[in-house]
Amino acid sequence: MQRTTVLQEDWWKLRAEATWGNASAGQDLAALRAENDQLRRALAGRAVIDQARGMVMVLTPCSRGAARNLLVDISRQCDTRLPEVAAALVAAWEGKPLPERMQRALRRTVGRFHVEDQGRDSGQPGKSSR
């Protein structure tokens, strides 16, 4: 008898399928180890993105969403995956030089953020322009 279980978690948008009966225990174990490694890498990437987002929030007082949008914009400009951009920013914070293209993208993105932020502040009634 073949038994298949499909687990679906909307939170992680992951699908895992485990099949018993037609695969050896060694193959099941190898599949579980591969999935475990994939999840570890995903969590490690998420941790470095969260760390970089926190750095952006401190340097350019903004919300979590705005900080993530800044990182995504830098990632798009550099044609580099978001975890790699985040890792480079964290490494730069620790003294490693930031690649030139990321420096340029960071300057453009932060500059654009400040211009947009000033536009929002000046357009709100009751706020002084000091």
Side-chain angles (χ1 to χ4, degrees):
M1 179 174 139
Q2 181 177 350
R3 185 172 151 202
T4 302
T5 303
V6 177
L7 302 172
Q8 191 169 11
E9 297 179 14
D10 290 334
W11 182 264
W12 294 99
K13 293 190 172 121
L14 294 176
R15 286 183 65 119
E17 183 172 333
T19 303
W20 295 279
N22 64 348
S24 70
Q27 289 173 329
D28 286 343
L29 182 61
L32 288 173
R33 283 187 177 157
E35 183 180 358
N36 191 21
D37 289 342
Q38 179 185 4
L39 291 172
R40 283 181 198 267
R41 284 191 303 274
L43 285 175
R46 184 175 177 95
V48 76
I49 291 168
D50 285 343
Q51 189 174 1
R53 180 174 26 204
M55 292 168 42
V56 170
M57 289 170 64
V58 167
L59 294 173
T60 61
C62 63
S63 67
R64 286 180 55 120
R68 186 178 193 290
N69 291 341
L70 285 170
L71 292 173
V72 168
D73 195 26
I74 293 167
S75 172
R76 287 182 183 150
Q77 288 181 42
C78 295
D79 194 26
T80 306
R81 293 180 58 238
L82 184 58
E84 294 170 16
V85 169
L89 286 173
V90 170
W93 189 272
E94 296 169 350
K96 186 176 177 186
L98 191 64
E100 183 64 33
R101 67 177 188 208
M102 283 189 199
Q103 288 180 23
R104 286 191 306 268
L106 181 62
R107 277 193 290 269
R108 280 192 303 264
T109 303
V110 170
R112 188 169 48 246
F113 172 78
H114 283 299
V115 167
E116 290 172 3
D117 191 46
Q118 287 175 352
R120 271 186 246 124
D121 286 347
S122 65
Q124 292 180 353
K127 276 207 165 190
S128 65
S129 59
R130 287 190 229 188

